[in-house]
Amino acid sequence: MKKLLTGNEAIARGAYEAGCLVATAYPGTPSTEILENISSYEEIYSEWSTNEKVALEVGAGASIAGARSLVAMKHVGLNVAADPLFTIAYEGVNGGLIVITADEPGMHSSQNEQDNRLFAPHAKVAMVEPSDSQECKDFVKHAFEISETYDTPVLFKVTTRVCHSKGVVELGERIDVGIKEYVKDTKKYIMVPANSKAKHIEIETDRLPRLREYSNNSPLNRIEWNDKKIGIITSGASYLHAKEVFGDTVSYLKVGFSYPLPDKLFKEFSNEVDKLYVIEENEPYMEQFIKAMGIECIGKEIFSVCGEINPQIIREAMLGEKVEDTHKLDLEVSSRPPALCAGCPHRGIFYALSKHKNKVVVTSDIGCYTLGAMPPLGMGDTVICMGAGITAGIGFDKVNQMADREKKVFGFVGDSTFFHSGMTGLVNAVYNKSNMVVVILDNRITAMTGHQQNPGTGKNISGIEAPMIDIEGLVKAIGVKEENIRVIDPYKMDENINAVKDALQATDPFVIITKQPCALIKDVQKARRGLHCQVNQDKCRKCKTCLRIGCPAISMKDNVVSMDTSLCNGCTVCLQVCPFNAIESFGKEVE
Ligand code: SF4
Ligand code: SF4
Ligand code: SF4
């Protein structure tokens, strides 16, 4: 049977067909839908783990216990999981272990553009790179076999285009590989220095040479001979883009097994073609290897290391053809600057804090609250990575104290981020006597990646009831003094204002927990459907105070301030900031 699947759906199907039994992940674009789809196969135990390191460690434990296991994350997630990856690489596997890294050339929703292919040689693990949905499914099966045959985790590298593009996929049956026997083997699974040293030598002298041999003979690496004037070595989505431009007029070496790289195949291919190009996104990973072999080729001289590659870029770089945009629209799409949604529960605390702009520094984190940095709220000084909203704040606070700066540091994290890596930051803040304020924006969901459950929501990946971890209890247990904790309703401006006031005066770690669910959660939308606010034009003095909260539902046109009631959810933050009582609320929350 054939089915139209995205790359992520196809990876999930591949895991099912390959007899995978355990799948873990932390959500992150463009990888999120892999686990969402796997969770619909009841044969596979799947979980949202608290972060990528945890996800990999759970997957590794399951693999050692004998089950085929798959772990998925976005590219920056692999940085978090790098610690276990490098040691699991030494230990090897029992049941096959696949680690999916979903990279984001072009950074559509990421904080950097790292090329995670470089992790494979660094960690010394095998790597595969599918180009389309069919390969996504098929390569999962290959990857499990490679993993078990060569006793290595397999890095499974995809990119946004591969994850989200749809293609026709031939479906197969699930194979039942069962659970392999677990035999205690301390030399293999306990990485104390004596064992690690032996393992490192074994990897260099045995595993990697065998894998290189496999790479040169792997069905995943194939040559397509056509005209030999031009030869292209390529992988991933770049292969499809190159095919779109050149069709069958040039020869290709398509690399699907990309660590170790197929040296003999590169030689064979380059010997036959007149001019050799390497087309790959981001870093010159293959190009440098080929050039180091003494083979002449053209790559990053004409292709940028920044951003995605597409057929137009290839056409322009290799053929010098400028391509006119044939899909021009008559209409101008109006620009929509990023902003917190109408009725977002985070608006109130940012607005309250913005009243003290000159007295505070805001270290923000990855998630919706990053949007608090956008005008008109403008509350954000730094964004680094998951958890750094707290930890960068600790460093900032220490230097502020050294430099006698009066500025108070407010570090923002979301609920999911708090569980991901915020908790350790808070432990550090308490232990090292930071004077910062941690604001935990508890919107009862992992919002920015598309509403995944987390340990605070009371549900698991399948929407089934699960223990709900209490954030306030955790904060207390970590050692924040009870008098320094405020749990507030961020829709109530007086609670926001008072919490910020108290926080500004604190001389110990201070925590504000805001509790209101994300306005886009379906049940919330349903319940608040009947609510909205409106401006009483007779009372409005055009002071524009309500515009300063940055709600997309409020606008001023022809000197009239009004609310778009189709967007407004009646949160009443605007009503509470209007100095002239010109805003009125309507409707009741539906039970
Ligand atoms: S009540 Fe005001 S602040 Fe809240 S969503 Fe409506 S317009 Fe925006
Ligand atoms: S998705 Fe939810 S939490 Fe994020 S900005 Fe919108 S309303 Fe706020
Ligand atoms: S804050 Fe009140 S008075 Fe001022 S512009 Fe808005 S609705 Fe009018």
Side-chain angles (χ1 to χ4, degrees):
M1 192 174 86
K2 287 186 174 161
K3 217 173 167 186
L4 199 60
L5 298 178
T6 63
N8 282 348
E9 289 166 341
I11 290 170
R13 179 72 195 186
Y16 166 76
E17 290 181 14
C20 175
L21 288 170
V22 174
T24 62
Y26 183 79
T29 308
S31 69
T32 311
E33 304 83 9
I34 297 170
L35 247 279
E36 283 176 339
N37 281 284
I38 288 182
S39 70
S40 64
Y41 297 110
E42 56 191 31
E43 294 84 350
I44 305 174
Y45 164 77
S46 51
E47 67 167 43
W48 288 131
S49 305
T50 43
N51 65 34
E52 297 83 356
K53 176 180 185 296
V54 173
L56 181 49
E57 288 158 353
V58 172
S63 154
I64 293 167
R68 284 192 167 182
S69 308
L70 179 148
V71 184
M73 60 199 71
K74 69 180 290 174
H75 62 304
V76 287
L78 195 56
N79 301 336
V80 180
D83 190 9
L85 176 71
F86 279 67
T87 304
I88 291 161
Y90 275 29
E91 296 189 357
V93 303
N94 185 18
L97 177 63
I98 297 178
V99 183
I100 296 176
T101 170
D103 291 11
E104 256 227 314
M107 293 180 282
H108 302 283
S109 62
S110 302
Q111 63 269 44
N112 70 37
E113 196 178 17
Q114 66 195 47
D115 186 338
N116 277 3
R117 289 179 300 174
L118 298 166
F119 264 106
H122 197 184
K124 303 175 192 300
V125 296
M127 173 165 60
V128 301
E129 266 185 82
S131 292
D132 57 25
S133 295
Q134 181 71 56
E135 286 190 350
C136 279
K137 194 202 78 159
D138 296 343
F139 281 20
V140 168
K141 286 190 199 168
H142 282 295
F144 275 127
E145 279 153 22
I146 293 164
S147 176
E148 287 168 4
T149 309
Y150 295 92
D151 194 16
T152 174
V154 175
L155 194 61
F156 195 98
K157 187 231 151 94
V158 278
T159 56
T160 314
R161 295 288 143 188
V162 178
C163 291
H164 291 166
S165 303
K166 282 203 168 190
V168 177
V169 178
E170 179 77 52
L171 303 187
E173 294 296 316
R174 178 171 166 90
I175 49 164
D176 185 8
V177 290
I179 298 177
K180 285 188 169 185
E181 192 193 349
Y182 165 69
V183 182
K184 188 172 165 134
D185 186 346
T186 50
K187 282 206 172 111
K188 179 166 162 57
Y189 296 125
I190 295 191
M191 282 304 104
V192 291
N195 295 343
S196 312
K197 280 176 196 166
K199 267 285 169 193
H200 190 185
I201 293 167
E202 188 187 314
I203 287 170
E204 298 294 345
T205 57
D206 181 52
R207 181 200 287 170
L208 290 179
R210 285 197 300 127
L211 278 168
R212 181 154 292 117
E213 196 52 37
Y214 171 77
S215 183
N216 281 309
N217 299 293
S218 169
L220 277 53
N221 293 333
R222 65 167 194 264
I223 293 177
E224 295 173 23
W225 289 122
N226 297 301
D227 192 305
K228 293 184 177 172
K229 279 197 203 76
I230 289 178
I232 294 174
I233 296 178
T234 183
S235 66
S238 301
Y239 165 73
L240 299 177
H241 299 322
K243 283 286 269 197
E244 192 174 324
V245 175
F246 295 105
D248 292 339
T249 63
V250 300
S251 296
Y252 301 92
L253 197 177
K254 181 192 177 308
V255 178
F257 184 86
S258 51
Y259 187 74
L261 284 164
D263 52 353
K264 286 183 197 153
L265 222 50
F266 283 161
K267 221 174 186 96
E268 180 192 330
F269 187 71
S270 62
N271 280 344
E272 294 280 325
V273 298
D274 297 344
K275 203 167 183 182
L276 182 64
Y277 291 90
V278 181
I279 307 180
E280 57 188 330
E281 279 173 327
N282 293 149
E283 299 305 313
Y285 167 72
M286 294 192 289
E287 180 187 335
Q288 277 178 351
F289 182 85
I290 292 163
K291 283 183 172 159
M293 287 175 68
I295 299 169
E296 258 182 53
C297 64
I298 302 165
K300 293 300 166 189
E301 296 92 336
I302 58 170
F303 294 109
S304 173
V305 291
C306 303
E308 293 184 290
I309 282 179
N310 63 36
Q312 281 94 312
I313 290 171
I314 295 174
R315 206 166 265 131
E316 205 174 320
M318 288 175 67
L319 303 172
E321 288 174 11
K322 275 251 178 214
V323 185
E324 285 296 315
D325 188 356
T326 52
H327 300 288
K328 278 196 181 130
L329 294 171
D330 293 340
L331 289 170
E332 279 267 310
V333 179
S334 49
S335 69
R336 290 179 55 204
L340 295 166
C341 306
C344 173
H346 304 329
R347 179 163 284 107
I349 188 77
F350 280 120
Y351 184 70
L353 197 57
S354 72
K355 294 285 141 206
H356 306 276
K357 243 177 204 159
N358 300 329
K359 286 193 238 153
V360 300
V361 167
V362 173
T363 49
S364 198
D365 218 300
I366 308 295
C368 291
Y369 27 91
T370 312
L371 299 167
M374 301 298 158
L377 292 165
M379 296 316 295
D381 291 85
T382 66
V383 172
I384 303 173
C385 63
M386 300 281 284
I390 299 179
T391 39
I394 298 168
F396 219 121
D397 170 57
K398 292 287 173 198
V399 173
N400 277 358
Q401 287 181 35
M402 284 175 207
D404 273 333
R405 291 183 198 137
E406 291 293 306
K407 290 196 169 186
K408 185 96 178 170
V409 178
F410 281 70
F412 281 73
V413 284
D415 46 347
S416 189
T417 316
F418 183 67
F419 294 118
H420 178 283
S421 45
M423 290 192 294
T424 42
L426 186 59
V427 169
N428 196 55
V430 172
Y431 176 61
N432 289 304
K433 296 188 178 167
S434 173
N435 188 22
M436 75 176 297
V437 180
V438 173
V439 188
I440 305 170
L441 303 171
D442 183 3
N443 56 3
R444 321 302 307 151
I445 208 79
T446 314
M448 208 176 220
T449 44
H451 287 183
Q452 288 74 34
Q453 306 296 340
N454 69 52
T457 64
K459 286 185 181 160
N460 70 11
I461 190 169
S462 310
I464 295 165
E465 215 169 296
M468 190 191 287
I469 313 292
D470 171 30
I471 293 179
E472 188 189 352
L474 267 175
V475 170
K476 275 186 202 158
I478 284 170
V480 179
K481 292 178 188 156
E482 203 151 351
E483 64 266 28
N484 284 352
I485 302 171
R486 299 286 178 283
V487 182
I488 61 162
D489 176 351
Y491 282 156
K492 294 187 177 150
M493 280 313 297
D494 57 338
E495 291 193 18
N496 287 308
I497 290 163
N498 290 337
V500 168
K501 251 190 216 157
D502 292 347
L504 280 167
Q505 277 152 23
T507 50
D508 288 319
F510 194 98
V511 174
I512 302 171
I513 304 169
T514 70
K515 265 192 133 134
Q516 271 291 355
C518 163
L520 300 192
I521 293 175
K522 264 192 202 131
D523 289 345
V524 175
Q525 285 199 310
K526 236 194 218 165
R528 301 185 70 86
R529 198 168 39 200
L531 295 175
H532 70 272
C533 281
Q534 236 169 272
V535 177
N536 181 332
Q537 299 299 340
D538 295 336
K539 290 190 186 171
C540 176
R541 306 253 194 107
K542 327 286 181 207
C543 70
K544 298 184 187 169
T545 307
C546 58
L547 295 173
R548 277 177 222 129
I549 63 172
C551 176
I554 311 175
S555 61
M556 190 172 194
K557 205 178 167 201
D558 302 330
N559 210 29
V560 177
V561 177
S562 63
M563 274 120 203
D564 180 343
T565 47
S566 66
L567 286 177
C568 171
N569 77 351
C571 75
T572 73
V573 167
C574 57
L575 179 150
Q576 295 170 67
V577 303
C578 173
F580 301 106
N581 296 322
I583 300 177
E584 293 158 1
S585 70
F586 295 88
K588 260 193 181 163
E589 198 162 328
V590 181
E591 288 298 317

